Amino acid sequence: MNTKNIKIDLANATGEEMHPMISEAFPYRFRRMHFNPINGFSVEWHWHREVELFYITEGILEYQTPEGVYQFPAGTGGLVNAGILHRTKSGNAPDQTLQNIHIFQTDFLCNDKNSLFYQKYIEPVLTSGIDIYHFQGGTRNTKKILDRLQKSFHLNEDDFLYEMKLRQNLEEIFALCTSAEFQPRDATPGMTKMDANLKTMMFYVQENYSEKIAVSDIANAAALSERECYRLFQRFVKTSPANYLKQVRLEHAKNMLAHTDLSFTDIAMQCNLGESSYFGLQIKKETGMTPTEYRKRHRS
């Protein structure tokens, strides 16, 4: 299986995905994601201030957040709330998974936080405590949402009323998300602060994986004790900070094996995975293949 990650634009040290195409005049962006052997089958941990509203047209896509892991097969969709740390991975590899996404600031729907519209239909979604809304199943409101979602992706950008029709569809989806079917839940006490600390530590690892770093360095990045660092990783990422660091290094190493001609020694050095012999053992343990076999498999 190709484990190449799809690249996105991140702000260094924060892990925030940047959307330079989104403007104040039109705070919206359409994106079509192709998860396949050429582009890759996963997008690593990131977050963004915008809402992400998506529909799966082919394959299966898995979303992971600190709250859990969710699968979305073709014909379903979801809404990733603003500021939620998440990663995605195709559940359909080596076959293709296709995803259509609306990425937008809620200002696109309503920029007056004192208005009745914002307080009745926008704010309840943003403050619901729900990390990802799931649009799958046969309930009436879910069917309506999926219908609006599909229609919104088939609008013609060249139509005179395109922006108005798009906003109308997104407004209706937000309004339907406030129905009793999608029950808000109490946010985990202190989750906002914990989420910020977790983001800081995870992206410290992603920025510094090639360096010799210890758990104490990861904890210091968020001004936390090692004990609190361990607790946050175990609770929300379901692994230790040391294992997370190792996994990040291995993912980069596998990408280099598949997509560069660097020697095994150079890859091991750049990913801080020790001597080439130890590196070979780790790749074998991770993939069931030697580095040579892995490179050959992903070049064929």
Side-chain angles (χ1 to χ4, degrees), residues 36-53:
N36 56 39
I38 297 175
N39 295 328
F41 285 106
S42 62
V43 177
E44 272 307 317
W45 289 99
H46 64 286
W47 64 280
H48 37 74
R49 304 179 193 193
E50 297 82 8
V51 169
E52 178 176 320
L53 186 59

Side-chain angles (χ1 to χ4, degrees), residues 36-288:
N36 56 39
I38 297 175
N39 295 328
F41 285 106
S42 62
V43 177
E44 272 307 317
W45 289 99
H46 64 286
W47 64 280
H48 37 74
R49 304 179 193 193
E50 297 82 8
V51 169
E52 178 176 320
L53 186 59
F54 64 88
Y55 184 81
I56 309 301
T57 62
E58 183 179 334
I60 302 172
L61 194 63
E62 178 182 287
Y63 270 80
Q64 182 179 355
T65 77
E67 295 289 333
V69 178
Y70 316 102
Q71 285 202 335
F72 294 87
T76 68
L79 183 152
V80 182
N81 231 324
I84 295 297
L85 186 66
H86 61 285
R87 65 183 297 193
T88 55
K89 181 176 69 173
S90 172
N92 201 45
D95 296 323
Q96 179 168 253
T97 292
L98 296 178
Q99 177 191 33
N100 289 332
I101 310 176
H102 295 304
I103 300 173
F104 58 96
Q105 298 170 4
T106 53
D107 285 356
F108 179 49
L109 308 184
C110 179
N111 61 6
D112 183 0
K113 294 184 178 181
N114 294 316
S115 71
L116 177 63
F117 182 87
Y118 183 90
Q119 293 174 1
K120 189 173 181 179
Y121 300 114
I122 308 298
E123 188 174 28
V125 174
L126 299 179
T127 61
S128 65
I130 298 175
D131 52 354
I132 300 183
Y133 283 77
H134 297 233
F135 308 139
Q136 44 190 303
T139 66
R140 186 176 65 175
N141 283 334
T142 297
K143 288 180 178 178
K144 285 182 179 179
I145 288 173
L146 290 172
D147 177 67
R148 302 295 189 280
L149 200 48
Q150 291 183 76
K151 286 181 178 177
S152 68
F153 285 119
H154 286 93
L155 294 173
N156 188 339
E157 292 184 32
D158 295 325
D159 284 354
F160 175 63
L161 297 177
Y162 166 71
E163 292 82 3
M164 293 183 66
K165 291 178 180 178
L166 174 63
R167 187 171 70 175
Q168 181 180 9
N169 276 280
L170 300 184
E171 286 173 346
E172 289 186 36
I173 291 170
F174 255 74
L176 289 166
C177 284
T178 64
S179 67
E181 181 178 330
F182 302 99
Q183 287 293 332
R185 60 171 179 253
D186 293 333
T188 304
M191 185 58 204
T192 300
K193 182 62 176 175
M194 288 190 289
D195 191 51
N197 287 335
L198 190 59
K199 288 174 184 174
T200 298
M201 292 188 292
M202 292 176 74
F203 289 102
Y204 173 82
V205 170
Q206 292 191 28
E207 288 292 310
N208 297 279
Y209 71 90
S210 62
E211 305 296 328
K212 185 177 181 179
I213 58 177
V215 173
S216 58
D217 298 314
I218 299 172
N220 287 338
L224 297 176
S225 66
E226 288 187 45
R227 181 178 179 181
E228 181 66 5
C229 172
Y230 274 105
R231 190 183 73 81
L232 287 179
F233 270 89
Q234 289 288 359
R235 182 174 181 183
F236 296 110
V237 190
K238 313 305 181 189
T239 191
S240 69
N243 281 338
Y244 177 74
L245 170 60
K246 181 180 177 181
Q247 197 59 47
V248 169
R249 286 171 169 167
L250 284 169
E251 288 298 323
H252 281 279
K254 289 187 290 184
N255 283 338
M256 290 180 186
L257 283 172
H259 304 289
T260 76
D261 294 318
L262 291 172
S263 69
F264 301 156
T265 300
D266 286 341
I267 293 174
M269 185 179 300
Q270 289 191 28
C271 295
N272 212 313
L273 284 169
E275 300 292 332
S276 58
S277 57
Y278 176 78
F279 168 72
L281 290 173
Q282 292 303 306
I283 293 295
K284 177 77 171 179
K285 184 178 179 180
E286 172 76 8
T287 67

